[in-house]
Amino acid sequence: MFLHRNRTDPKGHYEANHLKRNQQPAMASATSFSLAVILACMLLASSTCQGARHLADTTPAAAPPAAAVIPPGIPAVPTLPTVPAVTMPPMPAVPAVTVPSVPQVTLPPMPKVTMPPMPAVVVPKVTMAPMPAMVVPKVTMPPMPAIVVPKVTMAPMPAIVVPKVAMAPMPAIPSVNVPMPFLAPPPSA
């Protein structure tokens, strides 16, 4: 962590601005990392399955494997003896189980509950005093005085005379065949 002196603080306190500066990029990098992981999972889930299905649909069925050729000098594999069939005894019969019937229970009738009537709510009538009439006094404003703008006569602008300056003729530049360093060479015919 880097500590530096705050220039605006007259007592010269130190503050850790390194953490303040690096809090926002850390959150942005975590967000971009999670977005990259989600995109990678979507790519793996979609294109791999579609590619495998397309490959299974377009690949021809594999030919049955050819019989193995036994080179001379190797004895043949002996045949396995046949396993005698074993007869299993029949399964014993499962005795039938009868489930007793559940007796039907009759519930007593529920007693009827009568609620007392709700008492009538009487809202008392309140007579409000009449609002007093508001009288706005009429105010007569004095007339606005006429504003007189004085007419100012400007002196005529003097004519600006630009003196004619005769320039000396430009000296002739001698034509020397010096190649320019930045120009591309002419195309070859």
Side-chain angles (χ1 to χ4, degrees), residues 135-143:
V135 179
V136 180
K138 190 171 182 180
V139 178
T140 307
M141 297 289 290

Side-chain angles (χ1 to χ4, degrees), residues 155-161:
M157 287 287 290
I160 299 173
V161 179

Side-chain angles (χ1 to χ4, degrees), residues 152-160:
V152 179
T153 308
M154 297 289 290
M157 287 287 290
I160 299 173

